[in-house]
Amino acid sequence: MSDAGRPLLLQNGKISDPALAPALAERFEVIFPDGLTDENAAHVRAIVSGGGHKVDEALLARLPALEIISNFGVGYDSVNVPAAVARNVIVTHTPGVLDEEVADLTLALLLATVRQLPQADRYVREGRWPSGPFPLTSSLRGRTVGLIGLGRIGLAIARRLEAFGTPVLYHSRNARSDVAYRHYPDLVEMARAADILVCIVPGGAQTRHLVNAPVLEALGGQGILINVARGSVVDEAALIAALRAGVIHAAGLDVFEQEPNVPQALRDLENVVLLPHVGSGTFATRAAMGRLVVENLDAWFAGHPVLTPVPECAQLAARRAG
Ligand code: NAP
Ligand code: 8YV
């Protein structure tokens, strides 16, 4: 317990939900990384983490009283979950509440990239229209999309693509029995069969550079890559080389290897659409994520089962609740 009688919580990283800070302040004594001392570290019982800020072995080792990490986001690749589990620390995340929002953004980015909407907007703003019409663009018509990942968000993207009349293929480790889309265990094979690839898998070591030079070559000269997963999923250097050399046609990216720093080489290219990691970035969806972060903490500190443990923590969560 802290001096004020409330548990001590470390907020690790900026959280872009205006309602979250007051909700946490009502329940916890909140400290930030720059206020963490050897003395108060010994009493930290909870972490709220987000914005890609790491919860690594070194931080965990400083927090012997830590019980729970409530991650603001469905992706939790910035949290060292095995190290947390080894210390009996529960990790929760925010699945489900952002699927439709991220799927909307993905379709917007896909269409913006295919039809060059930011480039067309710049064309009007820069007063270039009077000197001639905007060049013709590629089209979504008659094209096939290969989803890299068909989980909660992937499925919401696939449903939208169906409404556009766009055939869907997917790559993942396991085939789903509840969909009719063709499953490709081999990503290069799917890249050959698809015109557009959309990445929507978790980040982390297992998916690092899943999209590499051979995948981009297989996608081909008319191919388009959309990444709304994590920057680590795509070999950014290989992508830049492929975009420069015309190995693929264009890319739409919401995520990058070293956020918030986007390589100048990418910013210099005309055949890319770049977004600052805004997949879930609306007031409504960030508020829903914030509520789930708090509900998990409330459940934990009331001695109830947490609502949404990460899969690797499901057993630990059940054991701790029981
Ligand atoms: P999910 O429901 O867990 O789905 C993950 C999908 O990826 C599943 O189809 C899974 O199938 C597949 N997958 C996992 N590991 C794989 C691997 N090594 N190789 C190939 N496929 C693999 O997750 P979700 O809720 O849809 O979220 C997906 C990710 O989107 C998050 O983890 C996060 O990184 C990202 N995201 C980004 C934004 C943004 O703002 N841009 C917002 C939200 C989420 P198998 O297990 O069968 O392989
Ligand atoms: C958030 C995300 O912007 O949920 C995720 O995995 O990438 C986004 O919704 C991010 O997690 C904010 O911390």
Side-chain angles (χ1 to χ4, degrees):
M1 270 308 161
S2 67
D3 289 347
R6 290 171 295 163
L8 191 58
L9 177 143
L10 173 67
Q11 184 179 319
N12 193 40
K14 272 196 180 150
I15 308 285
S16 52
D17 162 28
L20 185 59
L24 293 177
E26 258 175 42
R27 296 160 167 82
F28 300 96
E29 186 187 336
V30 180
I31 57 169
F32 296 88
D34 58 1
L36 191 66
T37 62
D38 286 344
E39 199 181 34
N40 64 20
H43 304 288
V44 169
R45 294 177 63 194
I47 293 180
V48 166
S49 189
H53 286 256
K54 286 201 173 355
V55 180
D56 56 15
E57 181 81 60
L59 178 59
L60 292 170
R62 290 188 71 191
L63 310 175
L66 186 66
E67 299 167 32
I68 180 167
I69 301 165
S70 187
N71 187 59
F72 183 85
V74 64
Y76 51 90
D77 46 304
S78 55
V79 178
N80 186 336
V81 176
V85 172
R87 290 175 157 79
N88 274 341
V89 172
I90 300 280
V91 182
T92 65
H93 65 148
T94 62
V97 296
L98 42 59
D99 301 348
E100 305 301 327
E101 199 76 82
V102 178
D104 286 352
L105 187 280
T106 305
L107 264 292
L109 179 57
L110 193 159
L111 283 169
T113 307
V114 171
R115 298 294 300 272
Q116 299 184 18
L117 298 186
Q119 295 90 327
D121 176 271
R122 289 200 288 273
Y123 196 77
V124 175
R125 286 174 198 276
E126 290 165 6
R128 292 157 65 196
W129 191 6
S131 56
F134 187 71
L136 302 181
T137 71
S138 58
S139 171
L140 189 57
R141 299 302 97 217
R143 310 198 88 191
T144 295
V145 170
L147 293 174
I148 306 177
L150 188 68
R152 289 170 292 253
I153 303 172
L155 203 54
I157 296 169
R159 287 204 200 95
R160 282 159 176 73
L161 288 167
E162 280 197 35
F164 278 89
T166 304
V168 171
L169 320 169
Y170 73 107
H171 164 76
S172 57
R173 292 165 302 183
N174 310 291
R176 290 182 69 131
S177 55
D178 57 347
V179 297
Y181 312 125
R182 178 161 174 194
H183 177 245
Y184 283 79
D186 186 275
L187 179 53
V188 170
E189 206 185 307
M190 183 172 83
R192 266 191 222 110
D195 305 293
I196 298 170
L197 291 181
V198 175
C199 304
I200 188 66
V201 284
Q206 290 204 332
T207 56
R208 187 178 142 74
H209 290 186
L210 203 57
V211 175
N212 52 18
V215 171
L216 296 169
E217 274 158 33
L219 183 58
Q222 295 307 310
I224 289 178
L225 176 75
I226 304 295
N227 188 9
V228 288
R230 283 291 182 265
S232 59
V233 174
V234 175
D235 179 343
E236 215 162 75
L239 174 63
I240 292 167
L243 286 163
R244 277 185 176 150
V247 171
I248 68 166
H249 177 62
L253 309 171
D254 185 43
V255 288
F256 303 88
E257 288 204 273
Q258 302 294 334
E259 294 177 13
N261 302 310
V262 177
Q264 190 61 45
L266 264 182
R267 289 152 62 187
D268 286 343
L269 287 168
E270 257 305 299
N271 53 345
V272 292
V273 177
L274 305 173
L275 300 180
H277 200 148
V278 292
S280 65
T282 64
F283 288 112
T285 293
R286 290 286 165 84
M289 292 162 65
R291 279 194 297 275
L292 190 47
V293 162
V294 173
E295 282 163 7
N296 273 306
L297 292 167
D298 281 348
W300 177 258
F301 284 102
H304 301 311
V306 293
L307 281 74
T308 47
V310 304
E312 299 90 324
C313 275
Q315 274 188 338
L316 176 61
R319 219 165 50 233
R320 298 288 299 263

